[in-house]
Amino acid sequence: EPEVTQTPSHQVTQMGQEVILRCVPISNHLYFYWYRQILGQKVEFLVSFYNNEISEKSEIFDDQFSVERPDGSNFTLKIRSTKLEDSAMYFCASSEEGAGGETQYFGPGTRLLVL
Amino acid sequence: AQSVTQPDIHITVSEGASLELRCNYSYGATPYLFWYVQSPGQGLQLLLKYFSGDTLVQGIKGFEAEFKRSQSSFNLRKPSVHWSDAAEYFCAVGGNNFNKFYFGSGTKLNVKP
């Protein structure tokens, strides 16, 4: 069964450093998403991406964040200058289309720790 | 605004006992409702979803959930829990006019032998 994969599974970085989280969505899916979960809090939407551009972003997704689909398979989330409060589990998801309520398939997550 | 509440942070049940995990949502129109499960080191796996029609939906691994509009609830049930069901369970809501999901905080299920 096709699945979403994410690398790395864990990342430790120093405050102020740049990190890139990588995701490989399911191959025939067209919509991609990033969510995050700060420890003990809800899973929160960050951004959705379609046709090589952001379709929606939350207020969390400020100028420190960017997303890119650098090739036909990868989807990346970059945090330019990490802050302590960026420590969280980051989930990538994909769906076939972006129809409202369509099932999103999630990866295993990357746990980011900013020191 | 849309939101999801899972009132139980941790639940412990004995193996073989029945299970009910609670989920309440807030959304002005007909919601699309999902339950996901996350085992350690794994991604969020879809258990089941409600779009429309029959309010009792069946999912994988013997789980079912019932949509109750009057109570704004979508509780997850299983008649007999297995040790392998120990995991964290997330309820999520989607809608017609947006393609992002709103998640609850999750419920961690512990299964006693």
Side-chain angles (χ1 to χ4, degrees):
Chain A
E1 183 178 332
E3 58 183 20
V4 177
T5 59
Q6 290 184 242
T7 54
S9 58
H10 294 79
Q11 173 106 38
V12 181
T13 190
Q14 296 291 323
M15 190 170 57
Q17 295 295 304
E18 174 184 287
V19 295
I20 297 176
L21 309 183
R22 291 182 168 79
C23 168
V24 179
I26 295 173
S27 62
N28 64 332
H29 285 188
L30 300 179
Y31 269 83
F32 315 120
Y33 310 82
W34 284 102
Y35 291 80
R36 78 173 186 190
Q37 185 184 27
I38 294 172
L39 192 63
Q41 298 185 24
K42 296 186 177 188
V43 176
E44 304 170 286
F45 169 80
L46 290 178
V47 65
S48 58
F49 189 86
Y50 170 74
N51 199 26
N52 279 322
E53 61 183 31
I54 290 173
S55 57
E56 187 175 356
K57 61 183 181 180
S58 72
E59 60 275 9
I60 302 168
F61 194 89
D62 61 22
D63 292 343
Q64 292 300 311
F65 292 89
S66 63
V67 288
E68 191 180 27
R69 187 150 165 85
D71 53 43
S73 60
N74 289 283
F75 178 52
T76 61
L77 174 68
K78 182 192 290 186
I79 309 176
R80 287 191 185 82
S81 178
T82 50
K83 307 184 187 82
L84 296 177
E85 54 265 36
D86 294 327
S87 294
M89 177 74 92
Y90 288 80
F91 293 105
C92 174
S94 68
S95 63
E96 281 188 54
E97 301 171 1
E102 186 186 4
T103 300
Q104 296 177 16
Y105 296 86
F106 287 80
T110 293
R111 186 170 294 284
L112 175 66
L113 178 60
V114 182
L115 302 176
Chain B
Q2 296 80 12
S3 67
V4 176
T5 302
Q6 292 180 247
D8 305 305
I9 299 172
H10 287 97
I11 281 186
T12 297
V13 300
S14 298
E15 192 168 15
S18 63
L19 171 71
E20 182 167 27
L21 302 183
R22 296 182 290 165
C23 171
N24 292 97
Y25 68 90
S26 173
Y27 179 52
T30 300
Y32 300 120
L33 294 160
F34 303 81
W35 275 99
Y36 285 86
V37 60
Q38 186 183 32
S39 300
Q42 304 296 313
L44 295 169
Q45 181 185 21
L46 180 69
L47 282 177
L48 48 76
K49 60 188 178 187
Y50 170 79
F51 276 16
S52 64
D54 194 349
T55 56
L56 184 64
V57 293
Q58 303 296 321
I60 63 170
K61 305 186 181 188
F63 285 92
E64 66 178 28
E66 186 171 12
F67 169 57
K68 292 186 177 179
R69 185 187 299 275
S70 62
Q71 298 176 18
S72 298
S73 69
F74 188 57
N75 293 350
L76 182 71
R77 301 194 294 246
K78 185 168 184 178
S80 177
V81 169
H82 188 261
W83 63 267
S84 60
D85 294 324
E88 189 159 18
Y89 292 79
F90 294 92
C91 181
V93 65
N96 244 338
N97 55 351
F98 54 92
N99 62 6
K100 61 189 174 188
F101 284 0
Y102 293 86
F103 280 86
S105 303
T107 298
K108 284 191 178 161
L109 173 65
N110 184 39
V111 180
K112 290 191 302 187

